Amino acid sequence: MDKNITIYVLSDSVGETGQQMTNAALSQFNSGNYQTKIFPFIVSKDQISKVFQEAKKEPSVVVYTLVIEELKDYIIEEGLNLDIPTVDLLTPALRAIEEVLGFKPKGESGLIRKLDENYFKKVEAVEFAVKYDDGKDPRGIRKSEIVLVGISRTSKTPLSMYLAHKNYKVANVPLVPEVQAPLELFQKDKKRVIGLIVDSDKLNDIRQERLKSLGLSFNANYANISRIEEELQYSRKIMEKLGCLVIDVSNKAIEETAGIIVNYMRENVDNI
């Protein structure tokens, strides 16, 4: 019989580290009903006490990534009093590093998430990628640092998001034979435009899987090999007119393609 359990994750920051570690641990158990509750920005005993008052009502484990000794001690104390297992994810690593370095850690909360200039730039880039995804607004082409072009399912969106996490403002534009490519695309510095192509057979497989996931028929024109070859031929003509770099992503991971783009931009574009 499946057993219910709730994992309470306490953090003095946003709780991302504790959540990832908890998910990794839970993935090793293939039965049961698991729930994870995240409590970020823990700075007081009162906050901790409220969590334990909730946790004592059900089978639970308290996981935490705090650096302030007084708060960590309080969690251990509450766990013992209420017979709730507690897991300190951070202290063992801190002690090992301290032993090698020979001096104590800062003990300052939330250092990993200091809102510095780089953090804000990344957030801005991610928001930009979402706003100007899939050619939603041609104005994004003018504002972007990089523009990705290609037919459907050539990894434009995931690549845009990956590059955004590298702090690049990326817009992507789908190329469709029946739809005229935006004028802004031809006005853009060709060195900032990247064309994406893929092997027609591989793309056919990808599109069929997409149709399958949507519960649609494989006979749809979207996954017709002749249609795909027509789209690819059209996209190559547009890319040739643009004079842009063209990358075949058929057998490349997102990270590999992103690496090619970043290196190209660094070598060929100023102020990137």
Side-chain angles (χ1 to χ4, degrees):
M1 182 178 178
D2 289 347
K3 187 171 183 178
N4 297 339
I5 183 172
T6 300
I7 312 296
Y8 291 81
V9 180
L10 280 63
S11 172
D12 52 24
S13 185
V14 296
E16 183 179 13
T17 302
Q19 184 175 24
Q20 289 178 346
M21 289 292 290
T22 299
N23 290 340
L26 287 173
S27 69
Q28 299 296 314
F29 299 88
N30 56 11
S31 64
N33 183 15
Y34 313 127
Q35 182 180 11
T36 304
K37 295 184 178 181
I38 313 298
F39 293 84
F41 308 113
I42 297 293
V43 295
S44 70
K45 291 182 180 180
D46 184 55
Q47 289 174 297
I48 295 170
S49 179
K50 289 178 180 178
V51 172
F52 273 95
Q53 290 305 307
E54 181 178 342
K56 72 178 184 180
K57 300 175 184 177
E58 57 192 345
S60 59
V61 174
V62 173
V63 172
Y64 58 99
T65 57
L66 304 179
V67 295
I68 297 176
E69 292 295 333
E70 183 181 3
L71 297 182
K72 291 193 293 183
D73 290 342
Y74 187 68
I75 289 174
I76 295 171
E77 179 184 336
E78 286 286 89
L80 290 172
N81 289 339
L82 298 172
D83 197 25
I84 297 174
T86 60
V87 183
D88 185 346
L89 294 178
L90 203 54
T91 297
L94 289 174
R95 286 177 177 169
I97 295 171
E98 177 186 346
E99 184 177 341
V100 174
L101 293 178
F103 57 86
K104 291 185 176 296
K106 295 179 179 178
E108 183 179 340
S109 301
L111 287 178
I112 197 170
R113 286 293 180 183
K114 286 293 184 182
L115 302 183
D116 57 12
E117 182 180 350
N118 185 65
Y119 176 77
F120 282 117
K121 187 175 181 181
K122 181 179 295 186
V123 171
E124 186 179 357
V126 170
E127 290 177 345
F128 187 95
V130 172
K131 183 176 182 178
Y132 297 111
D133 179 48
D134 206 30
K136 292 175 184 174
D137 186 342
R139 289 177 296 182
I141 298 172
R142 295 195 299 268
K143 298 176 182 178
S144 66
E145 295 174 305
I146 301 172
V147 184
L148 304 178
V149 298
I151 65 175
S152 175
R153 313 312 290 179
T154 50
S155 302
K156 297 186 300 298
T157 296
L159 190 53
S160 295
M161 295 305 299
Y162 187 92
L163 289 167
H165 279 85
K166 299 293 183 181
N167 296 353
Y168 293 100
K169 290 184 178 178
V170 185
N172 74 77
V173 179
L175 298 179
V176 183
E178 293 78 14
V179 180
Q180 187 173 356
L183 178 63
E184 290 87 348
L185 202 53
F186 298 93
Q187 297 171 338
K188 191 74 174 178
D189 179 358
K190 66 180 182 180
K191 294 177 182 177
R192 293 182 178 270
V193 181
I194 307 294
L196 305 175
I197 60 170
V198 67
D199 176 76
S200 57
D201 289 329
K202 186 174 183 66
L203 183 55
N204 189 38
D205 291 340
I206 294 171
R207 288 190 175 184
Q208 285 189 2
E209 284 299 316
R210 176 60 173 166
L211 291 174
K212 182 180 178 181
S213 70
L214 295 173
L216 300 176
S217 170
F218 288 169
N219 295 323
N221 196 40
Y222 179 73
N224 180 283
I225 191 68
S226 297
R227 168 64 182 184
I228 289 173
E229 290 175 347
E230 177 190 350
E231 290 183 40
L232 284 169
Q233 184 178 8
Y234 169 76
S235 70
R236 287 189 179 96
K237 287 182 179 179
I238 294 294
M239 293 170 195
E240 186 176 346
K241 287 182 180 179
L242 292 169
C244 64
L245 173 69
V246 178
I247 302 175
D248 187 336
V249 300
S250 301
N251 298 302
K252 291 182 176 63
I254 295 296
E255 296 86 351
E256 184 180 359
T257 305
I260 293 171
I261 293 173
V262 170
N263 289 336
Y264 173 80
M265 300 299 288
R266 287 174 178 169
E267 292 174 3
N268 294 278
V269 179
D270 296 328
N271 302 320
I272 190 71

